[in-house]
Amino acid sequence: MATFLVFTLLTLSSFSSPTQAEIFTSIGQMTDLIFTERELVQSLKEYIEAEEMKLEAVKSWANKLDMLTRVSTLDPEGFLAHPVNAYKLMKRLNTEWSELESLVLQDPSDGFISNMSVHRQYFPDEEDEKGAAKALIRLQDTYKLDSESFSKGKLPGQRQYSGVRYNAELTVDDCFDMGKLAYNENDYYHSVLWMQQALRQMDSGEDAKTPKADILDYLSYSVYQMGDLPRAIELTRRLVAIDPSHQRAGANLHYFERLLSKELRDRGQGQQEPADEKPIQLDTYERPKDYLPEREVYEALCRGEGVKMTEKRRSRLFCRYQDGSRSPRLLLKPMKEEDEWDSPHIVRFLEALSDEEIEKIKELAKPKLARATVRDPKTGVLTVANYRVSKSAWLEGEDDPVIARVNQRIEDVTGLTVDTAELLQVANYGVGGQYEPHYDFSRRPFDSNLKVDGNRLATYLNYKDEPDAFKSLGTGNRVATFLNYMSDVEAGGATVFPDFGAAIWPRKGTAVFWYNLFKSGEGDYRTRHAACPVLVGSKWVSNKWIHERGQEFRRPCGLTEVD
């Protein structure tokens, strides 16, 4: 509107200039006004059309988001339990709302802009959007989800919330952005999977802002990086066919063809192998190895595969009532206790937390939640790490009677004092939230005289020592872990132990307990464990790490190092 008014005023001012005075005295000059007016009317129509298009675009946005927010606000945690919804929320607030802001700025709206300015400080940034995208890739790997099912929002464990099944689908542009993120980090394996999905959806007729040439450009080069020259050539030919003037396509095609010809000559073959016409799936190319030595075992356990709970072993597991050696607080209502694993012994306590206690703990923790940290093995300093994706808060017994009551209950059922324990840590896992395999205890330098089997020895040597991790606390090492599950998780989120093949699934209100140290004080390296990525759901837990000091008469030392 402002541009149009400036143009009109400039045009009209030219009519009132000295050289254009008394136009009415000449029909010839007046005829020029007819054409000028026609141009002004055409400009006005173009302005109106542009405003209407903009308004329709804004209306479309408002209607879409009105419907979306009506559904999402019914049950925010339930809505964000679906990782695609969480990713698209990050993307909308980081990218798409900015596009809408630019659209509205074409005709400044003070109310909208001031509102945007107030709320922008709370918006996710580029790193949030990138982190959510990486979470989707992590879920895809861990749970072996093909891109097509993922794109259509078909995830195991989905359920309706408040009578509504959330529609969570990825568009061509979403898939392209996922592939581009992977590409920019030299992750050509995942770039191939998501660019292929973007191309598949576009070929099926879905509209997109992303040009097909861009998808083919990224896809062909990523396929080349995965070592599939025939398919790279076929994709590059498609690119050249739709965009002959593409800057890189022609040169890439010649380069790929020369490489393939050389490979064929080296193998003594005279003709080029046809490209594989099968769609690119998870098993088309080998997934690159990474830094985690037990990656495959860990992820298999997360999927419920490879759990080594045989019938013979299961027969040795029992359930019982736990009264904490006749603790007065447990005599009338003992805790229900179940064996989860025999060696190392892991137990689950039922009804460890009531729904009211859980809600109170979450209420106290939410204002304090901050990105969870891990202890650097070299410096002992707490730092943020990509392999731990959650937010946590620390609660003291003085914060609320509920926390004091929970602490006392932990002491009663375990028989260990919590006077030297760490504060109650409350953690909430976000989209694809996880904590990769780790130890809860601090490792000491390896003792060559320690008698352990070959597998255990390899475990000792594979991971760095951090003997002073808890030195500043003055309470010794973490002797035991008490883990409260404060929510059910629709899919994923298990606590797994790769060393001995155990998977323990979250059950709201229950808790699991195990010892990290042998009675000798030596670390039990079998207790290396992980929190699997949350596929669908919102996972809340609270941890109580119990330390050595004060347990001398509650858990006396053993006679052997691994007793």
Side-chain angles (χ1 to χ4, degrees):
M1 183 67 178
T3 304
F4 170 72
L5 289 176
V6 171
F7 170 73
T8 304
L9 291 173
L10 288 174
T11 304
L12 293 177
S13 65
S14 67
F15 294 155
S16 59
S17 65
T19 57
Q20 297 292 332
E22 298 180 344
I23 295 177
F24 67 94
T25 63
S26 170
I27 296 298
Q29 287 184 334
M30 289 180 65
T31 57
D32 290 340
L33 295 179
I34 299 297
F35 293 101
T36 300
E37 188 175 44
R38 187 178 71 176
E39 292 176 7
L40 289 174
V41 170
Q42 183 62 33
S43 296
L44 180 60
K45 286 182 176 180
E46 292 173 358
Y47 164 74
I48 293 171
E49 183 179 358
E51 282 292 302
E52 287 177 342
M53 290 176 62
K54 182 178 75 175
L55 188 57
E56 284 301 315
V58 174
K59 281 183 178 179
S60 175
W61 253 88
N63 291 335
K64 180 181 72 174
L65 292 174
D66 182 52
M67 293 176 60
L68 182 64
T69 54
R70 284 174 187 269
V71 172
S72 64
T73 52
L74 291 174
D75 181 2
E77 279 203 359
F79 181 80
L80 293 176
H82 197 300
V84 170
N85 281 332
Y87 162 67
K88 295 194 76 168
L89 176 64
M90 297 295 102
K91 183 178 178 182
R92 277 198 307 276
L93 290 176
N94 179 50
T95 304
E96 297 175 5
W97 273 97
S98 295
E99 294 174 359
L100 179 61
E101 180 184 6
S102 299
L103 178 64
V104 174
L105 272 172
Q106 293 174 11
D107 181 15
S109 172
D110 293 339
F112 175 78
I113 299 306
S114 62
N115 209 15
M116 285 285 292
S117 300
V118 169
H119 293 290
R120 178 174 291 282
Q121 59 182 316
Y122 304 110
F123 280 8
D125 56 18
E126 186 177 353
E127 286 304 311
D128 289 305
E129 182 179 344
K130 186 184 295 185
K134 287 181 177 179
L136 295 194
I137 290 174
R138 180 165 59 250
L139 292 174
Q140 181 180 30
D141 287 341
T142 303
Y143 298 104
K144 291 190 174 179
L145 304 171
D146 66 90
S147 301
E148 186 170 10
S149 296
F150 213 141
S151 179
K152 292 179 179 178
K154 296 179 180 178
L155 302 180
Q158 286 178 261
R159 63 179 175 88
Q160 293 188 358
Y161 297 88
S162 306
V164 178
R165 180 173 290 280
Y166 298 119
N167 182 25
E169 297 185 359
L170 293 170
T171 64
V172 170
D173 299 312
D174 292 331
C175 294
F176 175 77
D177 288 342
M178 293 281 292
K180 189 175 179 180
L181 167 74
Y183 181 93
N184 289 337
E185 298 199 353
N186 300 322
D187 180 2
Y188 301 109
Y189 172 78
H190 291 105
S191 180
V192 166
L193 294 177
W194 287 102
M195 289 298 175
Q196 166 80 6
Q197 182 57 30
L199 186 62
R200 182 186 291 118
Q201 291 180 212
M202 181 173 281
D203 286 344
S204 69
E206 185 180 322
D207 293 331
K209 294 185 297 184
T210 305
K212 180 178 283 191
D214 287 357
I215 298 174
L216 287 168
D217 188 18
Y218 281 98
L219 179 57
S220 59
Y221 189 77
S222 297
V223 166
Y224 156 68
Q225 287 289 342
M226 295 306 297
D228 191 347
L229 275 172
R231 198 190 295 254
I233 290 170
E234 185 267 331
L235 290 166
T236 309
R237 284 174 178 166
R238 284 186 62 181
L239 173 55
V240 171
I242 64 174
D243 187 0
S245 62
H246 193 279
Q247 185 176 2
R248 291 178 301 278
N252 282 351
L253 180 58
H254 292 311
Y255 178 67
F256 296 158
E257 288 175 336
R258 286 199 306 271
L259 283 180
L260 184 57
S261 296
K262 183 179 183 302
E263 285 187 7
L264 293 173
R265 286 196 305 271
D266 292 343
R267 294 201 301 261
Q269 293 179 312
Q271 60 181 8
Q272 180 173 304
E273 296 179 0
D276 189 351
E277 295 299 326
K278 294 180 182 178
I280 300 171
Q281 304 290 358
L282 284 172
D283 57 355
T284 301
Y285 304 121
E286 184 178 352
R287 179 180 160 196
K289 303 292 183 184
D290 64 10
Y291 56 87
L292 198 61
E294 68 263 67
R295 172 71 65 188
E296 293 181 4
V297 174
Y298 154 56
E299 292 183 349
L301 289 172
C302 290
R303 297 190 296 270
E305 303 169 6
V307 179
K308 298 177 181 178
M309 178 54 69
T310 62
E311 286 302 319
K312 181 178 180 181
R313 170 170 271 167
R314 194 184 303 278
S315 69
R316 297 197 292 265
L317 305 182
F318 298 94
C319 58
R320 63 194 70 83
Y321 284 105
Q322 173 63 263
D323 63 7
S325 299
R326 300 186 63 78
S327 165
R329 285 172 289 273
L330 294 176
L331 277 177
L332 294 179
K333 188 181 179 182
M335 186 82 74
K336 298 173 183 176
E337 180 182 313
E338 298 176 345
D339 290 331
E340 283 281 352
W341 207 262
D342 53 352
S343 180
H345 193 206
I346 303 175
V347 299
R348 187 194 293 263
F349 297 109
L350 280 62
E351 300 174 6
L353 291 175
S354 67
D355 288 346
E356 292 76 16
E357 288 172 332
I358 288 172
E359 290 308 310
K360 186 61 179 181
I361 293 170
K362 289 165 65 174
E363 177 190 330
L364 294 169
K366 281 181 180 179
K368 300 180 179 181
L369 287 175
R371 177 69 186 271
T373 56
V374 294
R375 198 172 296 277
D376 187 294
K378 293 182 178 178
T379 64
V381 176
L382 292 174
T383 58
V384 171
N386 293 328
Y387 55 83
R388 187 178 191 183
V389 182
S390 64
K391 283 193 171 184
S392 61
W394 299 85
L395 301 180
E396 300 185 54
E398 292 78 10
D399 289 339
D400 191 273
V402 166
I403 307 303
R405 186 162 67 245
V406 169
N407 288 340
Q408 183 62 60
R409 188 178 301 144
I410 292 172
E411 179 169 308
D412 290 342
V413 297
T414 63
L416 302 174
T417 180
V418 296
D419 290 345
T420 55
E422 295 174 45
L423 302 182
L424 187 71
Q425 186 205 53
V426 182
N428 180 224
Y429 292 82
V431 52
Q434 63 160 3
Y435 192 178
E436 289 181 352
H438 62 282
Y439 301 103
D440 279 352
F441 64 91
S442 135
R443 271 87 67 208
R444 295 166 181 158
F446 175 66
D447 181 357
S448 60
N449 295 317
L450 190 61
K451 296 179 180 179
V452 293
D453 60 43
N455 291 334
R456 201 78 66 243
L457 175 60
T459 306
Y460 271 101
L461 297 177
N462 267 336
Y463 304 104
K464 295 179 180 178
D465 302 321
E466 46 173 6
D468 298 326
F470 307 112
K471 185 176 181 180
S472 61
L473 300 179
T475 54
N477 211 342
R478 285 175 173 171
V479 67
T481 295
F482 194 98
L483 172 61
N484 290 300
Y485 292 117
M486 302 201 303
S487 65
D488 293 314
V489 179
E490 285 69 39
T495 305
V496 298
F497 294 77
D499 184 85
F500 51 90
I504 298 174
W505 304 94
R507 285 158 52 191
K508 185 179 180 181
T510 69
V512 292
F513 172 77
W514 68 85
Y515 282 101
N516 298 305
L517 306 180
F518 293 110
K519 289 185 177 181
S520 64
E522 289 293 337
D524 187 347
Y525 280 71
R526 298 173 299 173
T527 61
R528 182 171 167 84
H529 61 285
C532 294
V534 177
L535 179 56
V536 180
S538 178
K539 182 181 177 183
W540 284 86
V541 299
S542 55
N543 298 286
K544 193 71 173 179
W545 285 297
I546 302 171
H547 283 244
E548 291 176 294
R549 298 294 177 264
Q551 319 303 343
E552 291 83 358
F553 298 103
R554 294 173 181 252
R555 192 189 188 224
C557 290
L559 299 178
T560 63
E561 292 183 4
V562 292
D563 182 17

